[in-house]
Amino acid sequence: PHRRRATAPTSATMTLARVMTTHTTHTDVARAPVRGNSRASRRGARASVRSIAQPPPNSRDANATDAPPQARKKVSMVSLGCPKNTVDGEVMLGDLYANGFDVTEEHEEADAIIVNSCGFVEDAKNESVEAILEASKLSGGTKKIIVTGCLAQRYANDLANELPEADVIIGFENYANLPKTVGGLLGVETSPGLLLPQQARVQVGGASPPFREEVQRLRITPRHYAYLRVAEGCDHKCTFCAIPGFRGRFRSKKWDSIIEEAKALADSGVKELNLIAEDTNQWGMDLRASDGRGLAELLEALAEVDGIEWIRILYAYPSYFSDELIKAIADIPQVAKYIDIPLQHITNLSLLRMNRPPRQHTEDLLYKLRDNIPGLALRTTFISGFPGETEEEHEELMQFCRDFKFQRLGAFAYSEEDGTPAAEYPDQVPEDIRAIRRDQLVSQQQEISEDFAMSRVGQELDVLIDGWDEDMQSYVGRTTLEAPDIDPIVFITEDKSKGLPPLEAGQMRKCSIVGSSLFDLEAVPLL
């Protein structure tokens, strides 16, 4: 049988001035460390760069005969952080490709390396700084290093002062200018006859820029699944979270733009759409006066897109689940019976300190979802060691998780974030206690997750093949109850004596679940 060790990513506490002692801050049951663009390769399907739309008329195809040879400079990207950052990175790569740059997966070949950074918690900041330094070391200082992403948006001036290795630091509002900026750095034309001088080193701007077109992009996910951003920003004021300060106010992407993008993704081979936002289920609420439609209607429309077989909701907030939305999730066959809904805690005192919905509201919602969506798998995350959390509150959270039995669960050790109210709370929990409580929560969940895996043995399920896992010498895939990258996987063993078609990445295959290994499943194809 296939066996994977349940490992937790190690990380480090970081300030922009110095890197400090390493410690573990986040653990997710059955999640392996993800570094840079390793998402797809860890699942056995190397992340290949693919366009989901033809470049515009003034792009590289139209200019191919006019652009000088030196314009064919190469760029690569290290994409860190969440799927929202992944989409940003894909759009940036699409812009660069359309403006005459070649995109390579090999950083050694690149003339410029873009570090698409994450600034969510301290270990993510540290990983981003390490990536910048590694990129600089790779070239001996000869390659141009461009820093984008949340760390750039949030700490642009500090990065400029502390990291001379970064040639340019670019925030969200200036992403559209990236090809010009890279062209200026490398001394090449981004369009015939236009050679721009080097741009300002810090280019940030506001945190709430309007949506750009995201149809034309070079994807860094495998061909068969993609992330579809439906909204951006957040209006909630959770006391631990700095995201509203650098991702801006909540704003829904317009209906037509979402549908157009979904069709383009489907045309490129995508079978699974993973809907993302800061609060995905809030989509449309800010457009009610002009549109009137919500996520329930959007799910119905996306399900009608030819080629889309699975639609998954990630990053839901524990509110905004109307009866219409719950019914849509339950009734639309293409919508995965899977909801990712980070709760952060369950005790009323902790939730009050976090400025989150109270326990009764949360419990009522969770049971309502379970009662009305047959076969639902719920994924959540909790923060351990939040300021003021007592041992009794921690045990109350542990007991709740034992009783409710989430199918998927991750945990963070609390991290103080600059500019957040919680960072100034007087009753900070010692870091070693935070880590211990997180580990206790995850250790308890491991048994629950193993039981859930074993309960699925004997079922016949559709499995989306992600690719060949070289380390495990097996094809791997997922059912509708596993999201890409963060959840367990299915190991598929071929029986060539049955004369079935060979397995390939991107196939949807009916499989029999014949066993489990820790949290993962083992399967054989039936069709």
Side-chain angles (χ1 to χ4, degrees), residues 31-225:
R31 179 177 181 176
V34 176
R35 308 290 290 188
N37 269 343
S38 63
R39 285 187 172 89
S41 58
R42 185 171 66 82
R43 287 294 182 244
R46 182 176 175 82
S48 58
V49 178
R50 299 176 182 273
S51 176
I52 71 165
Q54 291 297 317
N58 64 344
S59 73
R60 66 177 298 174
D61 287 347
N63 298 327
T65 58
D66 298 322
Q70 64 266 29
R72 292 289 180 253
K73 295 292 187 178
K74 293 183 178 181
V75 295
S76 66
M77 176 175 284
V78 180
S79 189
L80 303 169
C82 69
K84 294 176 285 293
N85 224 32
T86 298
V87 173
D88 283 339
E90 292 175 342
V91 175
M92 285 187 270
L93 291 177
D95 286 346
L96 289 163
Y97 177 83
N99 281 276
F101 294 92
D102 287 330
V103 177
T104 177
E105 294 179 347
E106 305 302 327
H107 302 307
E108 292 84 356
E109 299 177 358
D111 300 292
I113 301 175
I114 301 166
V115 179
N116 196 24
S117 65
C118 178
F120 178 45
V121 291
E122 290 302 309
D123 61 315
K125 300 173 196 172
N126 180 71
E127 184 179 30
S128 296
V129 170
E130 288 177 350
I132 296 166
L133 298 176
E134 286 298 318
S136 180
K137 289 178 184 177
L138 191 66
S139 64
T142 61
K143 300 179 188 297
K144 299 301 181 182
I145 310 300
I146 299 97
V147 183
T148 60
C150 294
L151 195 71
Q153 181 71 28
R154 190 176 179 191
Y155 294 111
N157 291 327
D158 291 329
L159 286 170
N161 292 332
E162 300 291 343
L163 290 175
E165 294 85 354
D167 292 287
V168 179
I169 298 145
I170 301 178
F172 308 139
E173 195 172 85
N174 288 284
Y175 282 176
N177 295 325
L178 182 63
K180 295 179 182 178
T181 297
V182 176
L185 285 172
L186 298 179
V188 300
E189 298 177 7
T190 56
S191 60
L194 180 61
L195 178 61
L196 291 175
Q198 182 171 330
Q199 307 295 294
R201 186 168 178 233
V202 175
Q203 306 173 31
V204 179
S208 300
F211 281 106
R212 298 178 57 214
E213 182 179 289
E214 295 182 342
V215 168
Q216 180 186 309
R217 62 192 205 191
L218 295 182
R219 288 198 287 113
I220 52 182
T221 59
R223 185 171 183 264
H224 55 276
Y225 76 78

Side-chain angles (χ1 to χ4, degrees), residues 257-268:
S257 296
I258 295 173
I259 301 303
E260 179 187 6
E261 188 176 346
K263 290 178 178 178
L265 288 166
D267 289 344
S268 75

Side-chain angles (χ1 to χ4, degrees), residues 349-505:
L349 285 175
S350 286
L351 292 169
L352 181 63
R353 291 191 293 268
M354 292 177 171
N355 196 30
R356 301 277 293 183
R359 173 169 182 160
Q360 192 61 57
H361 167 92
T362 301
E363 280 201 68
D364 289 346
L365 172 61
L366 292 174
Y367 284 106
K368 182 177 183 179
L369 292 172
R370 268 198 178 163
D371 290 344
N372 289 277
I373 305 174
L376 177 66
L378 282 167
R379 174 180 176 81
T380 195
T381 51
F382 291 109
I383 296 174
S384 294
F386 188 75
E389 183 191 56
T390 64
E391 190 62 37
E392 290 74 21
E393 287 179 90
H394 170 63
E395 180 50 42
E396 185 178 341
L397 173 60
M398 293 275 289
Q399 184 63 54
F400 173 75
C401 292
R402 284 194 293 271
D403 294 339
F404 190 79
K405 292 182 172 55
F406 292 94
Q407 286 80 9
R408 314 287 182 218
L409 184 147
F412 287 88
Y414 170 70
S415 170
E416 296 96 334
E417 289 301 301
D418 295 337
T420 61
E424 304 300 323
Y425 285 177
D427 45 358
Q428 300 288 326
V429 176
E431 289 188 3
D432 59 337
I433 300 299
R434 303 178 200 178
I436 288 170
R437 290 177 181 174
R438 179 213 54 220
D439 292 346
Q440 289 173 342
L441 187 59
V442 169
S443 178
Q444 172 180 276
Q445 178 64 27
Q446 288 178 348
E447 183 176 346
I448 296 170
S449 295
E450 288 186 49
D451 288 344
F452 176 62
M454 287 188 288
S455 75
R456 304 177 76 192
V457 175
Q459 297 180 4
E460 295 182 2
L461 303 170
D462 288 331
V463 176
L464 182 57
I465 309 300
D466 281 330
W468 175 260
D469 188 313
E470 194 65 37
D471 292 335
M472 304 305 300
Q473 289 293 295
S474 172
Y475 277 96
V476 295
R478 294 170 292 109
T479 75
T480 57
L481 304 189
E482 289 89 36
D485 182 55
I486 55 177
D487 286 331
I489 56 179
V490 182
F491 292 101
I492 308 102
T493 302
E494 290 185 282
D495 185 350
K496 297 183 179 179
S497 67
K498 292 184 176 180
L500 298 175
L503 295 173
E504 294 180 2

